[in-house]
Amino acid sequence: MNQNQTNMAGMPTNSQGFKLEIPKENRNLYYGFLASVVAMIIGCFLPLYKIAGQSINYIYNKGDLADGIFLIVLGIGAIGVLLWKKNAIIPLVCQGISAFLFLKLWSDVKDVFSAYNSYAGLLGDKYKATYGIGFWIILLGIIGSIACLALIFKKMQDDKKGQAVAQPIPVQPNVAEPVQPQVVAQNNCPYCGSPKTEGSPFCGNCGAKF
């Protein structure tokens, strides 16, 4: 049965479609990865940090909006590639970029935090800077997703090595060497067929010379 069919527009399609499936093997690692990425995406909508009583997050802060959207796109892309292509390298790269962007944000706000917290000692806790719940959720999501992806990638490599070892090595069939015909010494007289007399150049029966 042909799996290639045509849709209403006449374009060829695959009857199986594009399925985002979770493999039965290592299913817990896949669930852990999905939960971590979803947590990372949700964290983008929650407060990242509070400064002087104002909550700031990726989505509602215009300065960090591009990074927040990029984090969400990277997370969704990592899920799609892992479940559709069964490839763990590209999702690892995506989450590595997410980690870089988040660490960059962390580095930028450290200086702001130190400045505001120094003023908080003089002006009161109202001007104190603290990390919000979104910050910690994103951090845990990135760490969890990278850890799960690393284990999934290792399992994939181990499975490939196991399949390579399990494949039987082709054995060359034994080809019999051609048997050389044995040359049998002619011990009879070529004329009368009588046995030759050893050491004599003449046949003892018919007298012919050999």
Side-chain angles (χ1 to χ4, degrees):
M1 182 177 180
N2 188 4
Q3 292 182 348
N4 293 326
Q5 301 176 352
T6 57
N7 56 18
M8 295 179 63
M11 299 297 292
T13 59
N14 190 321
S15 60
Q16 293 181 347
F18 299 111
K19 296 181 180 179
L20 301 181
E21 296 179 338
I22 297 178
K24 295 181 180 179
E25 301 82 6
N26 312 317
R27 179 169 290 181
N28 291 335
L29 289 176
Y30 280 84
Y31 284 140
F33 166 74
L34 291 175
S36 299
V37 174
V38 170
M40 183 189 78
I41 293 174
I42 293 174
C44 292
F45 295 88
L46 298 176
L48 291 174
Y49 46 90
K50 293 181 179 181
I51 296 179
Q54 181 181 3
S55 295
I56 299 174
N57 63 15
Y58 270 128
I59 302 303
Y60 296 108
N61 183 28
K62 293 182 179 180
D64 298 322
L65 177 61
D67 288 346
I69 293 175
F70 199 33
L71 279 180
I72 295 173
V73 172
L74 286 173
I76 295 174
I79 293 174
V81 172
L82 180 65
L83 299 186
W84 178 31
K85 291 293 187 180
K86 303 300 183 290
N87 183 310
I89 297 178
I90 296 177
L92 269 173
V93 174
C94 292
Q95 292 308 97
I97 297 174
S98 298
F100 171 78
L101 292 175
F102 190 69
L103 290 175
K104 180 177 177 296
L105 171 70
W106 196 355
S107 176
D108 293 341
V109 300
K110 275 185 177 180
D111 296 334
V112 177
F113 272 38
S114 60
Y116 268 91
N117 288 333
S118 63
Y119 290 126
L122 299 175
L123 303 176
D125 292 342
K126 179 180 178 181
Y127 293 92
K128 189 176 182 180
T130 58
Y131 292 106
I133 187 173
F135 177 89
W136 301 112
I137 290 178
I138 294 175
L139 179 62
L140 292 176
I142 291 176
I143 294 174
S145 62
I146 292 177
C148 290
L149 280 172
L151 292 174
I152 290 172
F153 177 75
K154 183 178 182 302
K155 294 284 186 181
M156 287 181 175
Q157 296 303 310
D158 292 342
D159 292 342
K160 288 181 180 179
K161 291 179 181 179
Q163 291 175 0
V165 172
Q167 291 180 352
I169 300 175
V171 179
Q172 295 291 340
N174 294 327
V175 180
E177 295 182 357
V179 178
Q180 298 293 335
Q182 296 181 353
V183 179
V184 181
Q186 297 291 333
N187 294 323
N188 296 334
C189 174
Y191 299 101
C192 67
S194 298
K196 294 179 180 180
T197 304
E198 188 176 356
S200 175
F202 300 95
C203 177
N205 183 38
C206 65
K209 185 177 181 181
F210 305 130

